[in-house]
Amino acid sequence: MATYKPVVVQAFPKLGERITQDTLYWRGYKTPVQIKEFGAVNKIDFSPVSPYNYAVTASSRIHIYGRYSQEPIKTFSRFKDAAYGATYRDDGNLLVAGSEEGSIRLFDISGRAPLRQFDGHAKPVHVVGFLSDKYRIFSGADDYSSNLWDIPSATEIVSYSEHNDYVRCGCASKVNADVFITGSYDHTVKLFDARRKSSVMTIEHGHPVESVLLFPSGGLLVSAGGRYVKVWDVLKGGQLLVSLKNHHKTVTCLCLNSSGQRLLSGSLDRHVKIYSTTSYKVVHSFNYATSILSLALSPEDETIVIGMTNGVLNVKHRKPEERKVKSLKKRQPAYRTYVKGRTYMPKQEDFCVSKPVKRVLRKYDKLLKSFQSSKALDAVLEPPIRLYTPEVTVAVMQELHRRGTLRSALAGRDEKQVNLLLTFVARRVIEPRFTSVLVTVADIITDIYQPVVGQSSIVDRQFLRLQEAIGKEIDYQEELLEVLGMMDALFATFTKKRATYLEENRSNGLTETLETNTNN
């Protein structure tokens, strides 16, 4: 009996992934560290001064983490209920946070008890932050109001009640100490000036606003709400520059990198999209396990922290740059040592000893070797093979057809197995590399199971899908042939017809004959 030859799986060229500078840069982070919090993480804020600790607001606590610590180095827990939006001041010495009971607390990083408490909101305060003069605080609450507070006297300076729904996000200008912005669930973004008694500008986002962000220059404003991220020109009265719709669910948070050249957005669809601020195209994307509520980048882009709805904090650190260090390892043998004797040609009197190579057969090859056609087909229809290496499944089907046992391997299957076969064929038959084999498989399946059509709604549905897929492919082919005919006609008009040497001689001879007859 001849030695069994394994099934030859045809190799197809694969399209390489496009590698850009952004891809290399954003892939330069280590494996993430997972930290479990007590509740959903609603805000992450990095200290603007070294060593760049970050504050995490979750449940009724605010945890301060060091850059590389996996345990909090400090905790503020003087809240009766949930805490919201803990934010650092520009000098990194003070921290302000809102609360569920409607009060605002100001903490000193070196202490534990609140330095100040600001009372005035009737409902939970989700938005707090410092103005750039460092002596005033702005806030937004679920009572539809946006307030301004004086830190030294712990009093309210002014209160704006222009929103018609919850105020859930805000930011302050770094250029003008009197300007701050709030976003609300009433679909609007309002720009306030502390010197005015009403808002200076109102922008209609079109969806409940979850996050707002001002560029460092103060000229561009980014708002996020629904599936949209929109960029507005503040200097032109709130003109819409671009609307981005790259997420599948609500966008919850925004962030800029240290240079301001990349914009990051996190969403409930578990993705973080990174945009170029020049073209506003997605240059990279991160995928996470659950929905994202907050994100933050350290001032040097060395650390990226993601807060999720299940209370997990995902921390990634950038890999350190590899430095060339002189190795003190013992010098290894030269390359010629390993290839020595490879090109030696044995002489007639030499006795050659060859080590037998043990060939390991795949599961489907073992089954084919023992003529178990049906089980071999089952082996290549398992999810890891049919989903990721469909060329192996098609190669085994082709081998069974060559042997003449494909029909018997496809016959005698139950509803679940027929459904699996038809799903695979309907999905892959339109791929040119598999079409020739799978069309034959589809014909045999249709011939075998035609008598049972109408007995199972699942199988009937798959037959309809197969018919639809083949029908669409035929329509595409017809359209392509029509386009090809149009192109041939166009190309024919572009080329000038030139007479051949034989045609020229014939025309000249005919002219000479006519002239001779005329003279006679």
Side-chain angles (χ1 to χ4, degrees), residues 124 129 139 147 152 170 199 205 211 280 348 350 370 419 428 432 491 512:
S139 63
N147 295 359
S199 62
H205 179 80
S211 182
Y280 292 105
Q348 188 175 0
D350 290 339
S370 57
N419 178 38
R428 300 291 182 179
F491 293 152
E512 291 175 358

Side-chain angles (χ1 to χ4, degrees), residues 18 20 22 215 220 229-231 241-246 256 260-263 274-284:
R18 186 182 176 187
T20 62
D22 280 285
F215 275 69
L220 296 179
V229 176
K230 298 184 179 182
V231 183
L241 295 181
V242 64
S243 178
L244 308 172
K245 190 181 177 182
N246 298 97
L256 277 174
Q261 295 180 353
R262 295 293 180 267
L263 173 67
I274 303 170
Y275 310 88
S276 167
T277 53
T278 54
S279 63
Y280 292 105
K281 293 182 179 179
V282 177
V283 295
H284 195 68

